[in-house]
């Protein structure tokens, strides 16, 4: 898709989903540094997300995390979002912060804990029914810390049982996105540690279960774009959790640590049809802004995904294919690098102007006065954070 | 299986397959250091393998590598093995050393190269028909070195096509063991980089295709025993290529770099029924003895696998299960560690004596005079090595 | 030192220092699971540490963490320790949990923050003067999360300046132990990321500055025993923070993840004189017991270090040296493995009986009733944890 | 240095040294794929290097590898280079391909082997005297494969002794560049595994010993630009061996695997004065072109280093410093990224035109007919390669 007009058209229609928890406080096990103006409830998170959408034009959807975003009346949350010009997206289940989950949730040796966890997942589907969310995103912190601690295969059986029950509860228009992660918080085994495990479970569940790729959840040296291409080939790529990393699951801004990798990933999405809405690939951010200002960090991340997308779309696929088929290693690589080395910021500025927004989203946000306003107004109450 | 008699009975019946190429010269890209007395043809490799079996009593099977072990008359090789008290095992196809394979074998962009590679695989099945081998072990060096070099998904399609053709050629008693490897010799993408890719292909091929786990072929931090347990649960673990590593695919002696990992792997085999012959899990060595004497290194590796197996069988599975089910983290770990910390060498000495062999295999080998004999006799001709 | 009597004598005299914070609650960024009976102040932590010493006989010293263990009267803490049969050891400075330290402590761009941090370090030396501690253990969480965030070299200059000021404040019998860590909580640069950086600073500071090796703070594939040997050769190994890991800084029980590595490390200590008190190498634990019972976990860790030490001391150094000098790769490796494969638990049981304690420390602890007592008695108040 | 004219002036004066062995055949342990037209002797390698310089204008220096580039008359090699418009650069000693070096070279347990290795190093200085080379680049493959194989500290002593002897032989204008490498070909210990070890030895040797950073020789997750900055601060950065990698020491084209990392490294060079000739930092390529055409691959690599240099020089250092000092995390990062995201290819085209060469070096090379000529002319004789 190297036609400039078509590229611009796609860039205007792109949807990047931002995470409610990215607007709240976060940190490491060593310290959570609180920031002034941080939201105190899900409504204020939506207000912040709406600023990101206003600035970028491509972030109209917000993922929720239950119970972090639990409210009495989800209908009112839906209406609040609509008033702010955004809508609710994936529901992220959280079965890792209750005291019961010390040794696992759906894989816990105790059936009572598994029941509690599975019930929570089912309640998340209830929430989806109200919010109109299509995606139940499941990440399990489940695992063990010490060799011998629990039976690896028994835990898989328990996992399969819970997934199957939840799968049966899904509506026609709903699906499970099953995330995997190499380690943390579990340090010996993790029950869904890699894409293969997630894929195998999704395959057994059926069409409405797909794999979600969090770009920070792999072993060092893993070729993520290979996984993306493979899952697209199998029809099992449900979506992305974008963020970036130098070491482990650092959860830095998408595109900040390895912009070339982000480009390569989106190139695979492009050449394998993943940008077509019919494939249903979801493009979500999942990040922590521990030390930087949160809203500008989300804006920057959205821009990074946009720029990498633009470069991916600018690849001259005919020239690339010809070089590949003829075994021209350097030629094929050069076609790819030509797109990567292009400065697409002018193109995106144009796109934004055609969308009727400021060509410089960060400047627009700064000019809006929102940052000062939330610091002044959000006084009292408890700031939202990973534990709240 | 913590009954001592049963443990000893199993240890006597264990079969560890040794690789013909482990007896030849090997090295790194920097240098192959030749050793005196190294075999000059497949017959001499079998002679050496027979020494390992004589010393250990549990290594009666030898894997071949085609074309490294190509002979005019495989029937004569079968007879030679029989005369030496061993038999031929897995056939390892090699589609990475012909000049045609610079950009791949079965995944090469050029259909003529793919034809050449697939034909070689089919010829390997012909060899199996003669040798009575059940396992066609496939490792593909295929991959790319530079982003954009080739189309990831197209290469998967080509791979699937070749595998399917070979699968169709298998006899009733034959299977494909599909190996995966993170990297090397390809440095950007590898076409079968991880167990998930191998698993997905095996699943599509059918019952006679299974995954083989080479313990040196993973990303840093990968929990290999998890993969082993998962594949056993899915009925898709075909076997092992044992070796050990500190960094990448170092191909050191099994159990040398991380004996605790080897124990944990074999513990998963034990608790998930993988030692039962009915599961068909093959236990092969795949190593390079670049600087150490080759036959003693293979003997040592066989002993390391034996010791780890013995420890795995000594785990008190009832106590372990009880601790696991009750959530006793330290207790469960302690049960496992109790077996690991046991010195099983006296038990294995007993086993060997009951088998009628020397309790100290390395001393027995030294006393045999074989090492001196091959140095004296194997003069002239060309030593076997990775490239020959 | 393969003489059994000498080995036993050393094992009786070994001193393993336990960390006060190991008795408190800890967790990951996702959740801290509180445990019943956890100490509520530094006095109770010492009470727990005394139980570990009572059970093992080799853990008479307790590291403190300031400000986690801040008390009004350190003299009373010294007396409390003495009454319980233990004494205070290294003082661990903490300059990462004040809100001011979001962008660093001694390397912060703002001189006022650096002043605050350095003052804290100086106060830690004041504490040492009272407690009689010889070691000021410095770990800096300082670093950056994003490329460009700060000037790498300017941060080194600031670090050197602070270290120099603190070094000047040390008494004759006091030293700085400078720790390094690859990453976390900083995710792009860490100001003391590796032993080389720590070594270079210690060299510039002088004789009273030495490197401390935390076994969980390295990049994947790092050969820790090489570093230990090298630092001993240079006279710059100050001590260890023992713990174990499968992935990153997992802080699991020492010896739990890779017992062979712990043995190899202690083998280097043994052959390079590091067990001699004159070298001043400190043997500390630094672990988190997130899901397992804390006191038994510390006991188990102490036992693991003891067992690895015993094996290291049992290496037949004459045979090893002879094999090494003659280039006998397999022979030298076999000498080392012979010691490692020995079950030293009977030897340690003997050692303990000769020390007048129970040969089974965990059973002794269980029988003591302490676990039940603290659960019953430590009610009300706030449990100690990483943030308290 | 964000003044466009100054940037261009520097880019014209930049010197990137190319390696003679990059023009010869290379491969992995699995296979060396020969390419048509590859040089058959050092003279032909210089001919190829001259083509790279002709096309790029910034590659006038060629590193040699002894004994791969051994000739009877180094004077004639010097003259040949001069006639071709290039000159000889660093001399790379090779003490890893003689059969004697199986267990090490300067660290070998046998003093006779150490003597042989040290003599080779001294001979390399003899060569330097003739060629006028200033840099003796030392990379030692020395290490061990198995725990216990040799004494780590004794090997350091032997290394120090050899280095000291060679250091004493250096002329006034000569220096040692001591390289480090994590692993390969040694798989357990490497005698100079990391920058800290190299730094410590260089420090003890004196001013004429400096560390060389090969960008492919680190553990996963290592922050290379931190090391570069640190060594520049200490006055101990001797130079670079550029190449790129996804996994281990892949030796791909510089800038191919992680162009952002190359930029970050060169940014540290820029801000810490490393581009000033007075610091003596050498910019060398050290790569293997296993599957791609060699001369174009070297040209591409030179261009990649140029582009990363241009971007590094375009960083607005005043804005960067201001943002850093004020703790503006996102602002500082944005200044850096602004330079990185700039398309500098037009600037470099301008630079080349002002140098009087073709703005498109690869097109110029293709148009030169050299590729066809060497295929036609270099027939007969033995192609140069790693082992020749």
């Amino acid at each position: 898709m190297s036609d400039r007009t078509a590229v611009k058209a796609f860039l205007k229609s792109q949807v990047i989903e931002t995470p409610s928890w990215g607007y709240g406080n976060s940190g490491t096990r060593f310290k959570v540094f609180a920031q002034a103006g941080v939201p105190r409830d899900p409504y204020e998170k939506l207000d912040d997300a709406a600023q990101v959408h206003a600035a970028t034009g491509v972030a109209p959807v917000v993922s929720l995390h239950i119970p972090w975003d639990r409210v009495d009346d989800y209908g009112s949350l839906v209406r609040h979002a609509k008033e702010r010009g955004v809508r609710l997206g994936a529901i992220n289940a959280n079965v890792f912060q209750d005291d019961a989950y010390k040794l696992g949730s759906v894989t816990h040796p105790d059936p009572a804990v598994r029941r509690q966890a599975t019930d929570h997942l089912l309640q998340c589907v209830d929430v989806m029914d109200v919010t109109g969310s299509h995606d139940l995103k499941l990440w399990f912190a489940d695992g063990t810390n010490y060799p011998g601690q629990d039976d690896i295969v028994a835990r898989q059986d328990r996992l399969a049982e819970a997934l199957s029950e939840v799968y049966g509860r899904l509506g026609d228009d709903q699906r499970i996105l099953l995330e995997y992660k190499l380690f943390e918080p579990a340090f010996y085994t993790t029950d869904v540690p890699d894409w293969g495990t997630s894929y195998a479970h999704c395959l057994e569940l059926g069409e409405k279960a797909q794999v979600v790729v969090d770009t920070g959840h792999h072993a060092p040296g893993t070729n993520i774009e290979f996984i993306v291409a493979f899952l697209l080939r199998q029809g099992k790529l449900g979506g992305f959790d974008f963020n970036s990393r130098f070491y482990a699951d650092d959860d830095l801004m998408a595109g900040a640590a390895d912009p070339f990798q982000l480009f390569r990933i989106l190139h695979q999405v492009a050449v394998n049809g993943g940008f077509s809405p019919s494939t249903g690939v979801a493009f979500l951010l999942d990040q922590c802004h521990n030390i930087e200002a949160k809203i500008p960090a989300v804006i920057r991340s959205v821009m990074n995904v946009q720029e990498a997308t633009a470069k991916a779309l600018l690849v001259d696929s005919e020239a690339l294919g010809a070089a590949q088929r003829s075994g021209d290693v350097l030629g094929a690589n050069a076609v790819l690098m030509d797109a990567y080395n292009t400065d697409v910021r002018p193109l995106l500025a144009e796109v934004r102007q055609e969308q009727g927004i400021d060509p410089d989203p960060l400047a627009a946000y700064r000019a809006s006065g929102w940052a000062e306003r939330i610091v002044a107004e959000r006084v009292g109450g408890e700031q939202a954070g990973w534990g709240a």
Side-chain angles (χ1 to χ4, degrees), chain A residues 23 62 115 140 160 164 168 173 178 192 203 248 250 257 262-263 281 297 302 305 326 349 358 386:
Chain A
Y23 303 101
V62 188
R115 188 67 259 153
F140 296 104
S164 173
D173 214 24
L178 183 55
V192 189
L203 215 57
D250 306 344
L262 182 57
F263 162 75
V281 177
V302 168
V305 175
S326 69
D358 195 299
W386 273 33

Side-chain angles (χ1 to χ4, degrees), chain A residues 196-235:
Chain A
T197 307
S198 177
Y199 174 76
H201 281 285
C202 288
L203 215 57
E204 287 169 15
L205 288 170
E207 278 191 2
K208 293 191 287 186
Q210 289 183 299
V211 180
V212 67
V213 174
D214 183 304
T215 51
H217 288 188
H218 303 85
T222 302
N223 184 323
I224 300 175
E225 59 267 32
F226 176 90
I227 297 171
V228 167
F230 194 91
L231 289 173
L232 280 166
R233 180 181 184 267
Q234 309 295 106

Side-chain angles (χ1 to χ4, degrees), chain A residues 9 14 18 47 60 78 90 110 115 134 164 178 188 193-194 214 232 248 256 314 330 334 360 367 375 385 387:
Chain A
Q14 189 170 26
T18 74
D47 295 344
V78 171
D110 180 347
R115 188 67 259 153
H134 303 299
S164 173
L178 183 55
Y188 169 54
D194 53 20
D214 183 304
L232 280 166
L314 288 173
L330 289 171
D360 183 341
V375 168

Side-chain angles (χ1 to χ4, degrees), chain A residues 96-116:
Chain A
F96 54 86
Q97 290 194 319
D98 191 285
D99 280 326
Y101 300 143
K102 191 167 78 167
L103 303 181
S105 65
V106 294
T107 68
H108 196 288
D110 180 347
V113 177
R114 299 203 294 274
R115 188 67 259 153
Q116 174 181 340

